[in-house]
Amino acid sequence: MATTLSRRSFLKAGLIGTIALVAAGGIYRATQRTVPSGRFVLDEAARAVLGAIVPVVLKDAIDPAPSTVQAAVTRVGVAISGLTLATQKEIQDLFGLLTLGPTRRFLAGVPDDWPAARPEDIAAFLQSWRLSRFALLQSAYHALHDLIMGAWYGDESTWAAIGYPGPIKELS
């Protein structure tokens, strides 16, 4: 039997989600290391999140060896550092949300810490955010997806695996 969501319940859920995001982002930002310019730097917790998500997003395109995954995580960190400060703060809030146990369980549905998370749970979380009726979760999914894919395929060393010869060279 399908249940209907009343307007009041919808507003309460939105308010609770907003409070959780602000609280998680604030806690994470307070404990996060930044460089003197105020730019975001991936800490170990954020690296653990990405270390679990990267192989699921890239699937067969990446060798699952830890060194390869960590190289991809580093590339994502470099990509984030090239974004505007405002965007970096939003990404920092997203990692705050994903690194705190209660919000990871409640909003992502991933019961285990990221290093122990099952790929099936991560794939289900990504799919639920991708198809969510909440634009905020869809935006968060697209941010993670695009950062990972852009950082991976933007690196020249990955082009051979997909048969891309690189940009056309001008003859002079």
Side-chain angles (χ1 to χ4, degrees), residues 13-131:
L15 180 62
I16 290 169
T18 302
I19 290 169
L21 181 60
V22 169
I27 291 168
Y28 188 71
R29 205 176 284 134
T31 61
Q32 176 64 28
R33 177 180 71 134
T34 58
V35 294
S37 67
R39 296 213 170 265
F40 173 63
V41 177
L42 289 177
D43 67 356
E44 287 307 310
R47 290 183 75 80
V49 171
L50 285 169
I53 294 174
V54 161
V56 174
V57 170
L58 293 175
K59 298 179 186 164
D60 296 331
I62 189 171
D63 175 6
S67 61
T68 308
V69 172
Q70 286 311 308
V73 168
T74 299
R75 286 188 206 116
V76 172
V78 170
I80 292 169
S81 71
L83 300 172
T84 65
L85 286 175
T87 304
Q88 287 183 33
K89 288 191 186 310
E90 289 176 1
I91 292 170
Q92 193 173 33
D93 289 345
L94 174 60
F95 282 116
L97 186 72
L98 292 173
T99 58
L100 292 176
T103 54
R104 181 193 69 241
R105 284 183 192 98
F106 177 69
L107 288 175
V110 177
D112 301 314
D113 288 337
W114 290 105
R118 296 177 341 166
E120 307 83 45
D121 291 339
I122 296 168
F125 134 67
L126 290 170
Q127 184 72 349
S128 71
W129 279 25
R130 185 175 81 83
L131 301 174

Side-chain angles (χ1 to χ4, degrees), residues 138-162:
Q138 285 183 7
S139 294
Y141 164 80
H142 288 294
L144 286 169
H145 179 270
D146 293 353
L147 280 168
I148 291 168
M149 294 296 241
W152 179 254
Y153 289 111
D155 182 39
E156 192 174 335
S157 69
T158 65
W159 296 349
I162 59 169

